[in-house]
Amino acid sequence: SAALRRQCFSPNNSLRLQPFCHQSAGAAANRTTAASPATSAAGPSCRHRIGNNLTATKLLGRSRSLLQRSRYFSTSGNGGGGAKPPSSNQTFLQKWMAPKEMPPRWTLRWYGEMALLCTVFAITGTSTMVLVRPAVSDVLGLKGSLKEGPWSYRICSLVIMTPVYATLLVFVGTLFGRHAYFRFFAVKMFSRFGIPPEMMDETYHITKKTFRK
């Protein structure tokens, strides 16, 4: 009926009443189909039943369309856990720092992504050593190396190197357009010093479940 269609296809009740609409339309179609053999006599009553059958079929088709639309919107980021479609209102910086999807393994794009990530790690590691060694030797006045010691040099180097490395990793990774990827590594490094990761990144535990190296 018209009242049933208005309830089913209203914006507020579309998701809540879609199973009811689907079942009601299917039941209406079954009733009219079962009743048509019993009324084989030609006349207005037969045409009326044919019209009801067509109306029920249209209602069934609309309910199926509504069901497909509700499934799409439930997985497009509105509480369904799917990725949100890119917004045209985002600035260039927001798009540049947004998470990038990891390509499938062993494909050409995946090898290119691995080369980019290894480049970022190499630049960050070299830059950290260039900054930390003079800081420990000249500023703190400690002479030595990580291999030969002394232990004061080793401890100070590790204490200074970890935050510097994590900070440079995010900075260099952002320059290469992989801010979200390397931010996860930086938060993980700082969390090993007893800092709760939620203080640095509220979505850390959510990202950890789906993070792919």
Side-chain angles (χ1 to χ4, degrees), residues 131-186:
L131 294 175
V132 170
R133 283 182 178 179
V136 176
S137 301
D138 300 338
V139 178
L140 298 180
L142 298 176
K143 303 296 181 180
S145 63
L146 292 175
K147 182 178 180 181
E148 298 177 357
W151 278 104
S152 59
Y153 181 90
R154 294 171 179 169
I155 294 174
C156 290
S157 296
L158 293 176
V159 170
I160 298 175
M161 187 181 300
T162 302
V164 172
Y165 179 83
T167 305
L168 287 177
L169 189 65
V170 177
F171 177 76
V172 178
T174 303
L175 294 180
F176 281 82
R178 299 298 182 270
H179 172 80
Y181 184 89
F182 291 103
R183 182 184 62 183
F184 176 82
F185 278 99

Side-chain angles (χ1 to χ4, degrees), residues 78-106:
N78 299 331
K84 293 184 179 180
S87 175
S88 58
N89 297 328
Q90 287 184 342
T91 62
F92 174 78
L93 183 61
Q94 291 175 342
K95 294 180 180 180
W96 185 260
M97 298 177 64
K100 306 297 189 301
E101 183 180 359
M102 184 67 67
R105 290 182 181 272
W106 319 120

Side-chain angles (χ1 to χ4, degrees), residues 43-98:
S45 59
C46 183
R47 288 194 297 269
H48 181 69
R49 290 189 179 89
I50 293 175
N52 289 339
N53 193 4
L54 294 176
T55 303
T57 304
K58 292 180 181 179
L59 183 60
L60 180 61
R62 291 182 181 180
S63 63
R64 289 176 179 174
S65 176
L66 178 62
L67 180 61
Q68 294 176 356
R69 288 171 55 190
S70 64
R71 288 175 179 174
Y72 170 77
F73 286 111
S74 64
T75 57
S76 62
N78 299 331
K84 293 184 179 180
S87 175
S88 58
N89 297 328
Q90 287 184 342
T91 62
F92 174 78
L93 183 61
Q94 291 175 342
K95 294 180 180 180
W96 185 260
M97 298 177 64

